[in-house]
Amino acid sequence: MLHQCRKIADWINFKILQSGLTSHTEGGLAAVARQWQKHSAAFCSPRRSFVSISFGGPGAWMDWAYVAHQRMVMSQLLERHPPKAMDGAANREMDEILLRCSPWRTYEATAEAILRLGAEVRLIQEKGEPFEEAMEPNDSMRKKFVGGMDTDGHLPTLEEETKINHREIALACIERAISLLQRQVNSNSTLKWKRSAARLEYLAGSTLLGLGRHEEAISHLHTAATLCKGWTGLEVTIRRMLIKCYEQHIPSLQGAGDDEKLASELLDTYFNAQMTNSELRKALVRYSELTGGGSVEWYRDCKDEADSTLPFSFFLSFPSITHAFAGDKVKASLMLKSNLDYAVQVDSVTLNSLAGSVSIPSTDLQCAKNADQGSDGGIIMQAKAEILLSTEIQLPKDINAIAIDETGNGGEKEGSAGKGSFSKSARPRTGGITSGAGARLVEEDVNADKKGGKGSGQWSLRCLGGRPLRCDGLKINFYPVQSATGDGKNTVVELTIEKKYARTDANIKRTPFEEDNYLASAWRRPKLAPMAWGPRCLRVLSPMADMVVTNLTEQKTNGKAMEGVVNRVLLKFKASDFEQCMDVKVKFACSSFLVSPEGKVRRIAGAQEAEPGESCLSKQNPKVRTPTLVKKQEGLPPQAADVGYTLPEGWGSKESSEFVSITPQLKSGESAFTYFDLYRPLPYVSRTQFVLSEGSDAEEFSFDQDMCQTDVDVTISYRQERPLQKGKQPLRRRGRRKPDEVEAAEEEETEVEDDIVTLEYSARVQWVAPFSAVFKPGLKDSHPCGNRHPSNNIPDPNATSPKNATNPRHHEHESSDIVALHGERVGAKCLLEAVAADDSLVPNIEEIRFENDEGEHPCEFKLLTGKDKSGLLYKGGEGDACRELLPGSKFAFSWTALAEVNETYQQTTTNTSLGVISVGWNPSPLTPPEEYFSSDPSDPISEHGPLPLKTPPTCRYVGPPCYIEKAPFSVQMNRLQSSPKVATPFAISYRIQNLTQHQQALQVSFGESTIADREAQGYMLSGLVNGTVALGAFEIHNLSYTVIATRPGAIQMPQVCVSSDRFGTWVIKETAKDRKELFIVP
């Protein structure tokens, strides 16, 4: 009866499923899912049979045969009519239905049912009872049911099932399921498929293993082992199956790459199958025999050296160091962690790096922390143990022996690591400590752009260079430790772990540097590794000078130097604590440039030194006054240099192309001293206001406005010796060493490496003048005599510009010009101040003289207030405190001269300067520090900074601008009464002469005072107070008035103002300050 119901249910279920799938609707698909779920629960559940067979128990094989048939029908229907989501609808219920109705899933279930059917049939066969004896006797008392099937009817079916190879049928279903799953994965990238694929591959491999097809099973089992990472139970089962396959079949090798891949797969299987120690050792022996005997090679690659899936995780760091030099020995720490489930003996460890293989000495290996001492110089690592090794790595002497890193974030060459594009705005510095605090790491021409120009970064930084060194893998020789019974043979496993780097995406914007120059990469470490272990990479540099150069003069003068004298710059060379300097040599070379007030820079160079298209100033031009290196030569007279001027007495030119020895040896921490001397002459004459007279050379004086700077390139060359102090290793066994062993150890610890190194140092000097001179006019005369200087014009309230304004040039300096009239006295004041006294550049004034300009000038000045006929204004003496211009001090002086206009210029007006002021001076030198004298220098000096010369230099300053004219009038005040008395009349008169051939009209004014104002002041006045005076050609007129004082004491006379109508200028111009004050006696 049960079998009949199943047959009917089978037919009905098929019709419902077929109609639902062919409808291609969501409702039809949902009906199919519900029908299949109900049908499976009612008829496809195990143990539904009521037929009992004595030797087979319940008919489980019949149930699995029915289940397998139903699942096969369902799989074929779903493959013929694959369900799809309708109208793009996606909800969780429909996704679940689609997942249950996937054809690959039903084929998987079908294969499992077929395999179970085969297992049940094989179970009956293993009983060994014949079918005939197992038949139940017919019951003659019971009438047979027509149309039914008695128990005897199952035996033929069972006999037929025993002839079927169920594993082959199941394998076909599994392969079909794998194909359908792969097709679905290709069409749906979001599908999570690895677990399902791992199970299908596992079923295929186990089925093939049951069929004895070991070669085919290995491929599926390897795939399953790769996909089931983290599924520990299944992975262990798969690897145990793989071991069974390897015992029967070793895949054939087709190349070196296949050899490494096969070894990795085999050994991964052996060490992850949770075998016992004895089983593992036997398996290794069998594999060794199959591969020809000897050691077993195991290759693994990884993206992260701390990956726990590796047999050994490792981490190499460089404590307390980020840079090293080629040829040095550097300390390194290696953390090695075993991820194996077995205790192993490690015989050797070799590090793989860009510099090649580095073997760790056995003495360092035996001193590892948390490791047990093994046999034959090895160590024993327990299962899951972690050890720490300290060792020293000998770097290659040639930095080119270190390969260029072309992995990670771009490498040093464009086009590597994914051929990504370099960022145009990226700066050539990184955040990594190994990048030298931001210094660039590649040469300027290494990363040039396609047009031949500079690359993507700013190249103003000094190039550090060098190449990175890190651990890119390691090689370990080990074998499992024997058990307590000591059975078995040791098979050494040569494990090679190589770190692979991901390639950079093509669209990434990055800087042209190695990945390890970034902070995140250079200091990446396992979670429990402290930062004190240092970075994981080291930058290896070419031998580099570690000497420290200090400019002792710059510390005093702030990098400034005085023009006109020789300036000595004292340098201090100090060897670092990690080097000894032998045969120290130095050479100097200087270059200069001018910077205009507007910021324009012009380089001073020779004709052959200028670059094509560069506009340079000629160093032979004497107006440029090119600074030059000099050396002291006693008794040498002044001689012409190749820079266009004459050097001072006792000094000659210095060659800058040869090295000069400083000291034969400089021990660690010791200092040596050297110096160089610079000279730049003063300008022949300095113009403080830069007012040029007619015919003057404007370019010549433009150089005086520009700031001059000199760069002295100091090149130090020496033989560098770096002690290689070997770290003392803590031995496990201590004992007294023999004397010869002690001496050998001491010799070993004092090994040195020497290299010829060069250090470039630049000292910049800014040239300054010794003084700054400020000129001011003297006392202004109240008798301008009608001169036509714009400052003497009578203002016209109706005019927009001063009356009779002639030359526009005069307006530029009308407030500061000194008016010099022919035959009149003219005076001026000068204020001298040291320019850089705050920078310890203190000048001492020797003498000050007044001179006339050389050549023909419109006016000659005769000094009236000099100390002698030579024009001496000041002579400094010993002990004179005024001559030294210390910070904050100023030196002021004045002079008066008589102006004599040349006949050529008496009929015109012009501008000139009020002579020339010559200041003779010498600087105050600086004293070297105490450490200089204690160093016992070979060429001792007693002073540095600005040095005094035998012949004091002279600063020549052009006097203040002066307006020159022969005035149209002459004015002279007549002599006053010596002691005027009250009520006694006395006269005040002015002698005015017309010096022209024209008739002149003069306007006389006594200001705006009235009679009442004058009486209040204490006097009465008579004469021409306001009116006009006419003068003929060369006529003399006495302008006089009578005064009667009404009270004794001091009284002020009125302001007398006389102007010329023809010229519109003042002849007499008394201001409130110029009013005459008389003292009246009773």
Side-chain angles (χ1 to χ4, degrees), residues 23-44:
S23 66
H24 299 292
T25 62
E26 292 187 3
L29 184 59
V32 168
R34 289 193 298 270
Q35 169 61 26
W36 175 246
Q37 185 177 10
K38 292 180 180 179
H39 180 73
S40 298
F43 297 98
C44 295

Side-chain angles (χ1 to χ4, degrees), residues 549 551 554 559 561 567-571 573 586-593 627-630 654-656 674-679 709-716 759-767:
V549 181
N551 191 334
E554 184 181 21
N567 291 262
R568 177 166 292 168
V569 178
L570 182 61
L571 301 177
F573 300 159
V586 64
K587 71 175 181 178
F588 305 96
C590 69
S591 59
S592 303
F593 56 92
T628 183
L629 290 167
V630 296
K654 182 177 182 179
E655 299 293 336
S656 59
T674 188
Y675 62 89
F676 61 87
D677 298 322
L678 282 173
Y679 176 73
Q709 290 186 350
T710 300
D711 290 335
V712 180
D713 297 327
V714 185
T715 305
I716 305 106
L759 175 63
E760 300 289 341
Y761 177 80
S762 180
R764 173 162 292 186
V765 174
Q766 177 183 341
W767 295 94

Side-chain angles (χ1 to χ4, degrees), residues 759-920:
L759 175 63
E760 300 289 341
Y761 177 80
S762 180
R764 173 162 292 186
V765 174
Q766 177 183 341
W767 295 94
V768 295
F771 305 99
S772 65
V774 178
F775 292 96
K776 295 181 179 180
L779 295 176
K780 194 172 184 181
D781 193 359
S782 60
H783 304 156
C785 301
N787 70 79
R788 282 153 287 186
H789 188 267
S791 63
N792 195 41
N793 289 341
I794 299 174
D796 186 358
N798 298 323
T800 58
S801 61
K803 186 178 180 180
N804 288 341
T806 56
N807 192 348
R809 292 179 59 187
H810 296 167
H811 297 291
E812 299 177 4
H813 303 280
E814 62 181 39
S815 61
S816 60
D817 282 355
I818 296 176
V819 178
L821 304 179
H822 177 68
E824 299 289 339
R825 294 187 176 190
V826 58
K829 297 184 293 184
C830 180
L831 190 65
L832 293 178
E833 185 177 6
V835 174
D838 292 334
D839 300 317
S840 302
L841 300 180
V842 177
N844 293 316
I845 300 176
E846 300 288 343
E847 63 178 22
I848 301 176
R849 293 182 180 273
F850 173 82
E851 304 171 356
N852 280 292
D853 286 345
E854 297 179 357
E856 183 180 357
H857 290 276
C859 183
E860 296 290 336
F861 296 95
K862 183 178 180 181
L863 183 64
L864 301 178
T865 57
K867 291 188 176 184
D868 55 22
K869 294 182 180 180
S870 64
L872 180 64
L873 296 177
Y874 170 78
K875 181 69 175 180
E878 294 292 336
D880 188 355
C882 298
R883 61 190 298 237
E884 187 176 14
L885 296 186
L886 296 172
S889 62
K890 299 179 181 179
F891 188 92
F893 62 94
S894 63
W895 73 97
T896 304
L898 180 65
E900 297 179 356
V901 180
N902 296 337
E903 293 183 1
T904 308
Y905 297 92
Q906 288 184 2
Q907 304 301 322
T908 62
T909 62
T910 185
N911 280 5
T912 186
S913 59
L914 187 55
V916 175
I917 298 298
S918 298
V919 181

Side-chain angles (χ1 to χ4, degrees), residues 503-524:
R503 298 182 67 84
T504 308
D505 294 335
N507 60 346
I508 192 172
K509 296 291 184 180
R510 52 194 167 83
T511 54
F513 299 109
E514 311 96 332
E515 179 186 1
D516 286 336
N517 286 306
Y518 290 86
L519 186 65
S521 178
W523 289 82
R524 185 174 67 245

Side-chain angles (χ1 to χ4, degrees), residues 546-563:
D546 205 15
M547 180 182 290
V548 179
V549 181
T550 306
N551 191 334
L552 299 179
T553 305
E554 184 181 21
Q555 294 177 354
K556 295 287 187 179
T557 63
N558 291 328
K560 296 179 181 178
M562 271 186 173
E563 296 177 346

